[in-house]
Amino acid sequence: MEFDYIACILACLYFILFSFELKQFVQIFFLKNRKINYRNGIILALLLSSMLRTIFWIKVCVPNTVSNTLMMIIFYLPVWLNFCGISMLCVFYANTIYEDRYGSWPKIICIVLNIIFFTLNVTIGCLVDSPTTNQSEHRRIYLCYIY
C-alpha cells in the first residue's frame, strides 16, 4: 500500500482543530462558571468529533489491519457528535427564548432524535461491512444515509 498524502494532510488539519477545541475545553476548568452547561456540552461533542476524525485519518494514512466495521463506526460517529452539538445548540436557544412556554419538551425531543440518529449511524456502519452486501447494496445504503 502506498502512503496517502491527502489523508495525512486531513489528519494534520483535524489535529489542529482538535488542539484548538482542547484548549477551549481546558479553559472551562479555569473559569469560574458552572461546569455543566450547554456550552461545555457543545464543546465536548465537537472535541470528541475532531478527535475521532483525527484517529480515522491517521488510520487511513498508516496501513493497518483494523476491521472495516470499526473504521466505519469511527467514520460515522463524528457525524452523530456534530448532530448532537447542533441539537444542543438548538435546545439552548429554545430554552433561552421560550423558557416557560415549552418546559422540558425541547430536551426530550433532542434526546429522542439523538438516539435515533446514533442508531442509524451504527447500523449503517455495520451494514456496509457485512459480507453479504454487494456493490449495489452498498450504494443503496449510502443513498439511504445521504437522504
Side-chain angles (χ1 to χ4, degrees):
M1 292 185 90
E2 294 180 23
F3 188 72
D4 192 357
Y5 292 103
I6 295 174
C8 183
I9 291 169
L10 285 170
C12 290
L13 290 174
Y14 275 109
F15 181 75
I16 291 169
L17 179 67
F18 172 73
S19 62
F20 282 128
E21 290 172 0
L22 185 63
K23 178 183 168 278
Q24 286 183 343
F25 191 70
V26 169
Q27 283 180 345
I28 290 170
F29 296 108
F30 294 114
L31 298 176
K32 300 294 182 196
N33 296 338
R34 291 184 319 168
K35 300 299 182 216
I36 298 176
N37 58 20
Y38 286 108
R39 176 181 162 247
N40 300 344
I42 293 167
I43 289 174
L44 180 65
L46 296 177
L47 175 74
L48 293 175
S49 171
S50 62
M51 180 186 67
L52 287 173
R53 285 289 184 200
T54 304
I55 291 170
F56 174 78
W57 288 112
I58 288 172
K59 293 288 186 187
V60 169
C61 267
V62 180
N64 54 22
T65 58
V66 176
S67 73
N68 286 338
T69 304
L70 179 63
M71 288 296 288
M72 292 307 291
I73 290 173
I74 289 175
F75 178 75
Y76 284 124
L77 201 56
V79 174
W80 172 73
L81 286 168
N82 287 334
F83 179 78
C84 183
I86 291 170
S87 63
M88 278 192 285
L89 187 63
C90 293
V91 170
F92 169 72
Y93 177 75
N95 283 338
T96 302
I97 301 299
Y98 308 107
E99 248 178 285
D100 300 328
R101 187 181 295 176
Y102 296 115
S104 64
W105 277 105
K107 292 178 187 174
I108 293 170
I109 292 171
C110 174
I111 291 169
V112 169
L113 286 176
N114 276 298
I115 289 171
I116 291 170
F117 198 68
F118 177 74
T119 306
L120 176 74
N121 280 327
V122 172
T123 304
I124 288 173
C126 293
L127 283 177
V128 167
D129 190 43
S130 65
T132 59
T133 57
N134 57 21
Q135 188 64 27
S136 64
E137 289 179 5
H138 278 277
R139 288 185 185 141
R140 274 189 254 135
I141 291 169
Y142 284 131
L143 285 175
C144 264
Y145 184 72
I146 291 172
Y147 295 114

